[in-house]
Amino acid sequence: MLQLKNVRVLTLATILASLAIVMGFFKLPISQIVEIRFASDVIAIAGSLLGPGVAMIVGAVSDIGGFFIRPTGPFFPGFTISAALTGLIYGYFLYKKPFNLKRIITAQIFYSITISSILNTIWLVVLYQLPFYETFITRLISNVIQLPIHIIILILLIKGVERFNIFEMPIKK
């Protein structure tokens, strides 16, 4: 967390949290419990640039900030935990490691299974008293369909960020 004392890191984390909030407003609803969202892709960039600890903060801040700016239901801290763990996962798989397709696919699969399919399903079941098995299967199928979409988005985002040498910015003094 000492990274947050660096003005560039703090500025980039703030920009990415703000962008994740905005991207959280753009969603494609498929059903009441399944929708395609894009905020996790921004949190993935935070993880790859700033590491797991800072990306966890970006994820949590983006979830809480998004709720306060435009709530789409009751506030539930479980989704904040999910957003923070999203930063942890992407930071673990992508931070200070060579970027390649295998690493991006692994990170996305791990996120899709653990956070989006399992953990978020648990939060929906607790929050709305939904049947677990049916909700889980529906969300798992949706995540399998979304997997290539998010992999392509991540590849394009990472290539774009690499092109502008943003990866080097937080490290320089």
Side-chain angles (χ1 to χ4, degrees), residues 40-75:
S40 65
D41 298 320
V42 178
I43 297 170
I45 295 302
S48 66
L49 289 172
L50 305 171
V54 177
M56 287 179 72
I57 294 170
V58 168
V61 166
S62 68
D63 181 72
I64 294 168
F67 173 77
F68 283 115
I69 292 172
R70 191 169 85 179
T72 57
F75 178 75

Side-chain angles (χ1 to χ4, degrees), residues 18-145:
S18 301
L19 186 57
I21 290 170
V22 171
M23 292 306 292
F25 298 147
F26 296 100
K27 57 187 171 187
L28 302 171
I30 297 169
S31 74
Q32 287 183 332
I33 58 171
V34 177
E35 56 194 21
I36 299 175
R37 290 183 174 246
F38 304 101
S40 65
D41 298 320
V42 178
I43 297 170
I45 295 302
S48 66
L49 289 172
L50 305 171
V54 177
M56 287 179 72
I57 294 170
V58 168
V61 166
S62 68
D63 181 72
I64 294 168
F67 173 77
F68 283 115
I69 292 172
R70 191 169 85 179
T72 57
F75 178 75
F76 188 72
F79 293 114
T80 304
I81 293 168
S82 291
L85 291 175
T86 298
L88 177 70
I89 289 169
Y90 286 113
Y92 174 78
F93 282 102
L94 302 176
Y95 183 61
K96 290 189 177 180
K97 295 178 180 158
F99 294 102
N100 59 39
L101 186 59
K102 182 180 176 184
R103 190 174 307 284
I104 293 170
I105 291 171
T106 304
Q108 188 61 47
I109 289 173
F110 193 78
Y111 162 78
S112 294
I113 292 171
T114 59
I115 304 299
S116 192
S117 294
I118 296 172
L119 199 55
N120 286 348
T121 298
I122 292 170
W123 304 143
L124 288 170
V125 167
V126 168
L127 189 59
Y128 297 113
Q129 289 79 44
L130 299 171
F132 178 80
Y133 183 74
E134 291 85 355
T135 306
F136 173 72
I137 294 300
T138 303
R139 292 181 57 79
L140 184 62
I141 291 168
S142 170
N143 282 312
V144 168
I145 293 168

